[in-house]
Amino acid sequence: MSRKKWYRRVGLFGTAGAVLLQAGCALDPDLLLQAATQLFTEFAIFFTDAAVVAMR
């Protein structure tokens, strides 16, 4: 993916997030924490699995 497309997508998601937060959308901090924990766990599993496969 080109750098220009990447910047455009990041800008689009950033703008959408800002609009949601400014519109008064109440986001539960517990849900954000759970989502961040799950994301970190999924990445850790992926990288651990990739490392184990690379050592074979």
Side-chain angles (χ1 to χ4, degrees):
M1 181 180 341
S2 71
R3 201 176 281 248
K4 186 176 181 181
K5 285 184 180 180
W6 188 81
Y7 284 135
R8 187 174 294 169
R9 287 186 182 179
V10 168
L12 177 67
F13 285 118
T15 304
V19 168
L20 278 175
L21 291 175
Q22 291 297 324
C25 181
L27 296 176
D28 187 15
D30 290 334
L31 290 176
L32 293 175
L33 179 63
Q34 182 181 3
T37 303
Q38 183 175 357
L39 183 67
F40 175 74
T41 304
E42 293 294 330
F43 275 121
I45 291 170
F46 173 76
F47 287 124
T48 304
D49 185 49
V52 169
V53 169
M55 289 188 329
R56 288 184 187 176

